[in-house]
Amino acid sequence: MEFQIFSKALYSTWILYRPERILFDSGEGISTILGNSVYAIKDVFVTHGHVDHIAGLWGLINTRNTAMGDRDKPLRINYPAGNRAIEAFLDFIVSMNPRLRYDMILNPLDDGNEVFLRTAGSFKRSVRPFRVKHTAGEISCGYHIYEERRKLKEELSGLTSNEIASIVREKGRDAITDIYTQKIVTISGDTFALPPEIISNSETLLHECTFLQEKDRRNQNHSSVEEVIDSVKHSEGIKRLILYHISGRYTSRMKKWHSFVQKELEDTGVEVYVVHPEHVFTL
Ligand SMILES: [Zn+2]
Ligand SMILES: [Zn+2]
């Protein structure tokens, strides 16, 4: 399993990315639903300080403190620097849990910062925040997960496999490859639809989609399905789209909306998934 997600706009949102044991947002109910899996979480990346995204933090931090937890592994909480609601809540949690058995690292992030997840030989993954537009005064961000990859140097593309093998024997594997970084996951956070320059070339895009009907939207703080579709149509390199943070008003018609988005994006080849507001989603 790659993703485990619960997300219902206004109530609770959390996204577990299992390959790296990292959590994006920590809405209420997370510890209850994840059970023993909370012990494995290494990093939490908080998008902003609205209660539906942070209410589960206290439970998560507390549950991880029980005897079953792995006490050697620290828990790092990453969040947009200067977000007062998150800072005040973390202050409160720390003051209520003065004897944590593991290290809790608070890591405020600014644009341009990078958080390394793991490095094993040539395998490197990291998370970088980017600012998004949400409600006035709320410092909010989304996150990209990057992976370092290697590809054959362009000037060698005409060579035969024997010729390439002989370069490797002579000069080593590094001589034939260029390193590049691939966006493997993008998480929008709560925001107006992200522009193509941010979401392009992300293999898996998780985009909030609070409103499935434009007419239901009162303020310009969240995305509507039309905007997300438009942005994805103008982007390239997206393989999977997961719509989340959907309003509970649409629960009885989720199949219909899923088919609608699939049909709209048919020509792009993007696989479409929709997180039902009342169920835990897995992929
Ligand atoms: Zn929200
Ligand atoms: Zn919000």
Side-chain angles (χ1 to χ4, degrees), residues 127-140:
V127 174
R128 297 180 208 165
F130 57 90
R131 276 297 185 90
V132 299
K133 286 193 201 111
H134 188 27
T135 55
E138 181 65 22
I139 301 172
S140 307

Side-chain angles (χ1 to χ4, degrees), residues 47-48 79-83 109-113 128-135 137-144 187-195 198:
T47 60
H48 64 298
Y79 60 94
N83 186 302
L109 298 174
D110 285 308
D111 254 14
N113 286 162
R128 297 180 208 165
F130 57 90
R131 276 297 185 90
V132 299
K133 286 193 201 111
H134 188 27
T135 55
E138 181 65 22
I139 301 172
S140 307
C141 69
Y143 292 101
H144 296 302
I187 287 158
S188 71
D190 282 12
T191 179
F192 201 68
L194 296 175
I198 290 189

Side-chain angles (χ1 to χ4, degrees), residues 48 50 52-53 134 190 222 245:
H48 64 298
H50 286 162
D52 52 322
H53 298 257
H134 188 27
D190 282 12
H222 288 285
H245 202 275

Side-chain angles (χ1 to χ4, degrees), residues 58-184:
W58 191 15
L60 174 75
I61 289 165
N62 226 14
T63 313
R64 208 174 173 277
N65 206 31
T66 60
M68 285 175 73
D70 187 342
R71 295 176 199 170
D72 303 329
K73 296 212 177 77
L75 176 68
R76 188 167 45 182
I77 315 273
N78 310 275
Y79 60 94
N83 186 302
R84 286 174 44 213
I86 297 171
E87 283 172 351
F89 193 38
L90 288 172
D91 273 354
F92 164 78
I93 294 170
V94 169
S95 69
M96 288 292 136
N97 298 270
R99 278 187 293 277
L100 278 184
R101 293 179 179 143
Y102 57 88
D103 282 339
M104 186 164 81
I105 302 158
L106 303 184
N107 191 25
L109 298 174
D110 285 308
D111 254 14
N113 286 162
E114 187 166 20
V115 178
F116 288 93
L117 300 175
R118 62 170 156 156
T119 306
S122 61
F123 187 79
K124 287 194 185 71
R125 277 185 179 171
S126 65
V127 174
R128 297 180 208 165
F130 57 90
R131 276 297 185 90
V132 299
K133 286 193 201 111
H134 188 27
T135 55
E138 181 65 22
I139 301 172
S140 307
C141 69
Y143 292 101
H144 296 302
I145 305 177
Y146 282 89
E147 182 176 282
E148 201 172 278
R149 290 186 183 168
R150 285 163 183 271
K151 62 179 174 198
L152 188 67
K153 280 186 194 298
E154 229 170 280
E155 63 266 30
L156 303 180
S157 62
L159 300 187
T160 66
S161 53
N162 278 344
E163 287 168 325
I164 289 170
S166 92
I167 299 175
V168 173
R169 273 197 303 276
E170 225 174 277
K171 298 179 183 165
R173 187 152 285 279
D174 288 350
I176 60 161
T177 51
D178 279 329
I179 293 171
Y180 69 102
T181 50
Q182 174 70 45
K183 257 187 264 177
I184 57 170

